[in-house]
Structure formats: structure tokens, C-alpha cells
Amino acid sequence: MSPSDRDDAELEMEYPEDRGNWTGKLDFLLSCIGYCVGLGNVWRFPYRAYTNGGGAFLIPYFIMLAICGIPLFFMELALGQFSSLGPLAVWKISPLFKGVGMGMLLIVGLVAIYYNMIIAYVLFYLFASLTSSLPWEHCGNWWNTELCLDHHLIRGSNSSMTVNISSTVSPSEEYWSRYVLHIQGSSGIGDPGHIRWNLCLCLFLAWTIVYLCILKGVKSSGKVVYFTATFPYLILIMLLIRGVTLDGAWIGVKFYLTPQFDHLLSSKVWIEAALQIFYSLGVGFGGLLTFASYNTFHQNIYRDTFIVTLGNAFTSILAGFAIFSVLGYMSKELGVPVDQVAKAGPGLAFVVYPQAMTMLPLSPFWSFLFFFMLLTLGLDSQFAFMETIVTAITDEFPYYLRPKKTFFSLIICIALFLLGLILTTDGGMYWLVLLDDYSAGFGLLVLVITFCLAVSRVYGVKSFCRDIQMMLGFKPGIYFKACWAFLSPVTLICLLAYSILKYQPSQYGSYKFPYWSEALGILMGLLSCMMIPIGMLVAVLKEEGTLWERIRQASRPAMDWGPSLEENRTGMYVNTLAGSQSPKPLMVHMRKYGGITSYENTAIEVDKEIEEESMM
């Protein structure tokens, strides 16, 4: 062996263990669909649509999808695929903004804690549906009160008999609040009460399922999504067919889609549309960036962006038909307007829809299908949250953690399970509402605004488009450039201003949260924002020179920024390869790897552009 060969062998031994890639062509696409199509599509979009102009809401919805959703989605995918790095290590692009990645990690950790608790509730109802008669069908159980009114009595009573149901409570509502949550055992958020062991076991099962599915990283979760990302559509179509065949279904559908164009003059409707797009696509959580980082370098993420974003919108609209067709039937059976039975969030999933299921023949079967659909929808998103956390930290310490990724994933799951135990107490719902309201609120908006500006303004749209050209063989058009440079950041800033101006304290039913809990929630949001200046301070202190020189150095890409694999480092990025001293690094790269591909032709064009710019 020659000395140069020995040096090469030693250099190879110093490389960290390979990150791995998706094992199939559809793994990435289905993982993204599963991540974006989640619980919010079922329990938030339909309610938002009918309260903000019905069918007219689709106009601002698709406009905001074009201005804010698609460009930011594509930006996050492109950044992850180009660098093959997680949310922390990717900030080699501009070390000054590494705090954005730290903030993302904090938010994802908080969301993962309470999101898996929602999956635990779904598992609870799933098991409760494995019976001949649903336990929330009638009153007369130990958890029911005198206010409980069996709505089957209304259906069976004389049609001329009027019953005032506004002062009554449905069996499904008391089952949810008094049996599942046992919220009567807590006086408020400061009095959590005892742990509900049945919920604790469901939470443990939820974390066990998640761990087993992410055991081998994307190699295992990428296979699970073939089922969890596609099966919900089958169930949704079954629920839709059953819903539209019910008597009174079209009352609900009409209520859902009747356009009220006067609502379009209200700024609130446009803000609500932007918020729905923003949170539904999961931009800014780091999940998209993480998934894309496991792609091959030339994966067509441009095509995938449109498939996922438009597919997500279609699913939301389809879910609205499935939900409101059943609510229309329910309103006719009870003799009340649709708006009295329609709710959003957990109220729809765990109170209204379960009550509607009791009115159908074979109610346990339809209930099981509904909650199994919610389970598969929720698990996909939880996989993404966990993969984001694990990938971000292992990319920071690849030599130590990557070989022990399976064990490290177990430690993360155990830690988050223990932190989530407070959510299984009598007062756990109060803590869940607080986490839901503040963990990914204004803090996430601040992070995404900074993320967008760091890439488009500091790194530069032109440089970013060159990177995309290296991967895909073409540059993004004027539409993406305009959105990244101006339209998307401005829209996000308007969203942030609106959320601050229209701030309302957290509330659960009639319970108003105390001031100390509000302060804790605001601190939760501020903590993720504070990661940005903390990261900047650390980056500046690592540099040398005057303050301005340090800031300029920290804002420039690191020396090793670029594609992770040597064969993909064409054009200007060959300069950063170890041992490359040639003034024509692309030629060295071509001699070493042989041939000129279409992507290397692109790299030659990029080199020529850089030379022309430097001569001007």
C-alpha cells in the first residue's frame, strides 16, 4: 500500500457512520403525505371553512397555499435534500442563525409530548369501541349526572314534543369529560389530581408503537407509512359514502359549502386561511427538512412539493364532506341547527362524532373505523416529530450517537413519556390545552420568518437557486423567487402581528386559566424565540476580529457547507473537498469520478456564472 493510499484509508476510518437513505422510491413521498395529512385536516379545516364563509373560504385558502404554503414547503425540502443534514447541522449554510434550529427542536419536543397524548385518547376510544354497545350511547352510568339527556329519547319521542337540549349534556360529552378525562377530580391547572392509570397505559402503548416504528430510523418508518399514510383514505372514503347516504346529510354539506362571499371582505378570513395552510403543511417544525435529508441528491422534490401540498388540500376538503354529512344527519335527528352540533378540535373527535356514531346501525364498527383512521393519521405526524429530534441531535454528534441511534431513540421516547405523565392526570387536559395554545404559536411564526429571511436575504435567493439547479437541473422560476424574497415573509409577519393583536387567554370550556399559567405559556413561546439571539451570540463569539467582522464571518456559509457526498460536490463546492488544490476543481472532480452528467453540465454553467460575476 502506497503512503497516499494509507492516508486515504485513515481518512475513511474517521468518517462517521452513514446516515442512511430511504429504501424505496415512495418512502419519502408517503412520509410527507402522512406528516402533513394529520388530525387537523379532520377536526380543524371543516370547522374553519364553515365559520369563515363556507365554499368562499376555498378562495383565500388556495391563494394562501400559493403565496405561503407551496414556496415554504419547497424551500424546506430543498434545503434538507441539498445538505443531507437535520435542523441543527443544516445551519452550516449560515452559522449565525443556528438558533433557529434550536428553537425548532424545542417546539417539536413540546408538541411531541402532547400530540402523543391525543394518540393515547384515540387508543382509549379504539379499545372502548370493541364492544356490542358503545359505552357513551346511554345515560345511567356511574359517571353520568342529572343533566345527562339520552338523545335516543328525543328521536323516539313524539315529533310534536319539544325538548330544550341547550341546558342538557349528551352521554358522549359526559363520557369524555367525566370518565375518560375524569376532569371533576381537578379544580384547575394548579391541581392536577391523580394519574389516570388507564390513560397512562394508553400513553405507554402509544410511545411503544412510535418507538417500534422508528426503531431503525427512516428504514423502518419509511415502510410503516405505506400503511399508515394510505389506509386513512380508504376509511375516509367509507365514512364519506356512509355519510352522504344518511337522511339529512345534504343539510350538513350545504351548511359546509354554501358560499358567503361577503366574508372575503374580512381580514380575519384571510388570516384564518393562512393559519390553516401554515399549520396543516407542518412548515417550520423541521419534519420536512429531516425527511428530505434522507433523499438521494437528485430526487425530484419539485414534483413532490405539488403532489403533497395539493393532496393535503384535497384531503381537507374531502374530510369536510365526511364530517358534515354525518353532522347534517345528526342535526335532523335531534331537530337542531347544524351549528349547534358542529365543533372543532377534540370536541369534534371525542364528543360530537362519537355521539353521531351511536345513531347509526352497527355503531361499534363505524366508531372503530373512525378512531382507527385518527390513529393512523396521528402516528404519521408523530413519526416525523421523533425523527426530527433524533436526526437533529445525531447529526450534531455523528461519531458518538449515530452508531447508537436505536438506543438514543429509546432514551428520547422514555424521556418524553415521563414528561407527558402530567397529561394523564385528572387535570391533564388543562396542561394539554396550554401546550397546544403556546408551544407552536407565535414562537413558531418567529422561527419561520427568520428561517425564510436567513435563506432568501442572508444566503441569497440567487445562491439558493444555484443549489437547487445542481440538484434538479433547473432553477426555480420568478414565482418562487418572489415568494421567498417578499410575499411569504410579509404574509408571515402579518400572521404574527394578527396573532399578537388578537391574543386571547387560554380557556377550556368555562374554565379560565390563571395568570401564572398564561405567563408560563407565553414564556414557552418566548423560549423558542430566545434560541435565535442565543445562537447568534455563540456564533459571533467563535469568530475573530471586530464585532462587524465577526457577524459577517458568522453569517457566511461554513467551509464544509454543501452536498454531503463527495460525488455530488460539483462546481463551486469542489473547492471544499479535502486535498483539492486545483484552480479548476470541477475538472479534478470529473477526472476522479469520470464522465460528464447533465448535472455536471449544470455545475459548469454555475462556475461560468460565478466567474462572470466576479469580473463585473
Side-chain angles (χ1 to χ4, degrees):
M1 183 182 290
S2 66
S4 61
D5 289 337
R6 273 197 301 272
D7 291 341
D8 288 342
E10 288 172 7
L11 193 63
E12 286 179 11
M13 289 176 65
E14 293 175 3
Y15 287 162
E17 187 174 307
D18 183 39
R19 291 176 89 245
N21 291 97
W22 300 106
T23 55
K25 291 183 179 180
L26 288 177
D27 293 16
F28 167 71
L29 184 62
L30 289 176
S31 293
C32 284
I33 291 173
Y35 170 57
C36 297
V37 178
L39 298 173
N41 296 72
V42 174
W43 71 26
R44 283 211 173 100
F45 176 84
Y47 187 83
R48 264 200 174 120
Y50 104 80
T51 55
N52 289 286
F57 179 72
L58 296 179
I59 296 173
Y61 179 76
F62 279 103
I63 290 175
M64 288 300 171
L65 177 63
I67 291 175
C68 196
I70 293 173
L72 291 175
F73 193 96
F74 184 47
M75 174 183 274
E76 195 168 330
L77 289 187
L79 200 61
Q81 181 167 303
F82 182 77
S83 63
S84 297
L85 295 171
L88 284 177
V90 77
W91 289 103
K92 290 178 181 179
I93 190 174
S94 184
L96 189 67
F97 294 94
K98 191 168 185 175
V100 173
M102 295 159 60
M104 283 181 177
L105 210 58
L106 177 62
I107 287 175
V108 169
L110 292 172
V111 171
I113 291 171
Y114 81 81
Y115 203 85
N116 225 26
M117 189 65 229
I118 296 173
I119 294 175
Y121 292 143
V122 171
L123 285 170
F124 190 99
Y125 271 81
L126 193 69
F127 295 136
S129 301
L130 298 173
T131 178
S132 58
S133 177
L134 295 174
W136 57 83
E137 188 169 352
H138 300 287
C139 298
N141 302 290
W142 67 261
W143 59 82
N144 294 126
T145 65
E146 294 178 355
L147 295 176
C148 181
L149 175 64
D150 192 338
H151 291 160
H152 288 79
L153 298 178
I154 301 175
R155 299 169 64 196
S157 65
N158 192 319
S159 58
S160 62
M161 176 184 172
T162 58
V163 180
N164 180 18
I165 66 168
S166 60
S167 58
T168 63
V169 182
S170 67
S172 61
E173 189 166 347
E174 289 202 336
Y175 180 82
W176 164 243
S177 62
R178 297 181 59 81
Y179 181 71
V180 179
L181 300 180
H182 201 257
I183 206 163
Q184 69 271 22
S186 168
S187 60
I189 192 169
D191 174 31
H194 301 290
I195 287 179
R196 301 274 295 153
W197 291 107
N198 45 10
L199 286 180
C200 183
L201 288 173
C202 286
L203 182 62
F204 178 77
L205 178 60
W207 277 113
T208 302
I209 293 170
V210 169
Y211 174 68
L212 292 176
C213 291
I214 66 163
L215 187 64
K216 296 182 179 179
V218 294
K219 284 184 170 62
S220 55
S221 66
K223 295 307 176 188
V224 175
V225 293
Y226 277 82
F227 175 75
T228 56
T230 56
F231 195 67
Y233 285 96
L234 177 62
I235 300 178
L236 192 61
I237 291 170
M238 291 174 65
L239 291 172
L240 175 63
I241 293 171
R242 184 68 187 101
V244 297
T245 56
L246 293 169
D247 187 27
W250 292 106
I251 298 173
V253 173
K254 183 181 177 182
F255 193 84
Y256 167 52
L257 281 184
T258 299
Q260 301 170 42
F261 291 105
D262 57 304
H263 281 62
L264 299 181
L265 300 175
S266 169
S267 60
K268 175 181 176 291
V269 173
W270 293 83
I271 295 293
E272 288 286 331
L275 285 171
Q276 178 63 33
I277 289 293
F278 182 75
Y279 286 107
S280 178
L281 291 178
V283 175
F285 288 92
L288 298 171
L289 194 151
T290 301
F291 282 161
S293 72
Y294 290 102
N295 279 343
T296 55
F297 190 68
H298 300 302
Q299 168 84 14
N300 191 350
I301 50 171
Y302 183 79
R303 174 202 60 202
D304 295 342
T305 294
F306 287 96
I307 292 174
V308 176
T309 53
L310 295 177
N312 176 68
F314 166 74
T315 307
S316 297
I317 296 168
L318 186 69
F321 281 103
I323 296 297
F324 271 88
S325 60
V326 174
L327 295 185
Y329 163 75
M330 186 176 170
S331 73
K332 185 172 182 180
E333 289 290 303
L334 298 178
V336 297
V338 177
D339 59 353
Q340 285 192 24
V341 295
K343 290 185 179 181
L348 173 69
F350 300 117
V351 177
V352 176
Y353 214 81
Q355 182 186 350
M357 294 296 100
T358 64
M359 299 179 180
L360 299 176
L362 300 173
S363 55
F365 171 73
W366 294 109
S367 177
F368 181 86
L369 278 186
F370 175 70
F371 287 109
F372 194 77
M373 179 185 73
L374 293 185
L375 176 65
T376 51
L377 287 173
L379 283 175
D380 290 330
S381 300
Q382 189 69 7
F383 295 160
F385 297 147
M386 292 306 300
E387 198 61 58
T388 300
I389 296 170
V390 173
T391 297
I393 300 174
T394 53
D395 279 352
E396 280 293 289
F397 308 100
Y399 295 95
Y400 306 106
L401 294 180
R402 209 170 275 171
K404 304 171 184 175
K405 192 174 181 179
T406 301
F407 179 71
F408 181 64
S409 299
L410 177 63
I411 296 298
I412 295 292
C413 287
I414 291 173
L416 295 182
F417 165 71
L418 294 175
L419 289 171
L421 282 178
I422 194 170
L423 304 179
T424 66
T425 60
D426 297 332
M429 178 51 68
Y430 299 126
W431 285 97
L432 191 145
V433 169
L434 192 73
L435 282 167
D436 187 34
D437 286 350
Y438 291 101
S439 62
F442 67 89
L444 181 63
L445 285 168
V446 171
L447 290 177
V448 177
I449 291 168
T450 311
F451 175 89
C452 188
L453 293 176
V455 175
S456 63
R457 297 291 182 177
V458 180
Y459 185 63
V461 170
K462 185 174 284 188
S463 299
F464 189 52
C465 288
R466 280 180 187 146
D467 294 344
I468 293 172
Q469 187 180 15
M470 280 182 63
M471 289 191 298
L472 306 182
F474 63 88
K475 286 184 179 180
I478 187 68
Y479 156 65
F480 281 103
K481 292 176 183 177
C483 288
W484 291 334
F486 179 73
L487 292 176
S488 296
V490 168
T491 304
L492 291 173
I493 290 169
C494 291
L495 281 179
L496 178 62
Y498 178 83
S499 65
I500 293 172
L501 291 173
K502 296 292 183 179
Y503 167 76
Q504 290 182 338
S506 293
Q507 190 171 336
Y508 181 71
S510 59
Y511 176 78
K512 294 185 177 179
F513 284 65
Y515 291 118
W516 67 265
S517 63
E518 290 296 320
L520 182 64
I522 293 171
L523 185 64
M524 202 187 302
L526 287 175
L527 190 59
S528 58
C529 297
M530 287 301 295
M531 294 294 110
I532 299 174
I534 290 173
M536 287 180 171
L537 181 62
V538 172
V540 167
L541 290 175
K542 287 181 177 179
E543 302 297 336
E544 297 178 353
T546 64
L547 179 61
W548 179 243
E549 288 172 345
R550 288 174 180 230
I551 293 173
R552 288 188 64 188
Q553 287 294 331
S555 62
R556 291 171 180 162
M559 284 298 294
D560 56 346
W561 163 251
S564 65
L565 295 179
E566 190 175 350
E567 59 264 31
N568 293 325
R569 282 184 174 266
T570 55
M572 60 186 288
Y573 291 103
V574 187
N575 285 308
T576 62
L577 289 175
S580 177
Q581 304 295 327
S582 170
K584 295 288 184 182
L586 180 61
M587 298 301 107
V588 174
H589 182 278
M590 286 163 53
R591 281 197 298 272
K592 183 171 182 179
Y593 292 102
I596 301 180
T597 67
S598 60
Y599 296 103
E600 285 166 340
N601 276 326
T602 299
I604 294 171
E605 292 171 13
V606 171
D607 279 351
K608 286 179 180 177
E609 284 183 23
I610 295 170
E611 285 183 22
E612 289 171 4
E613 285 179 10
S614 62
M615 292 172 65
M616 290 175 64

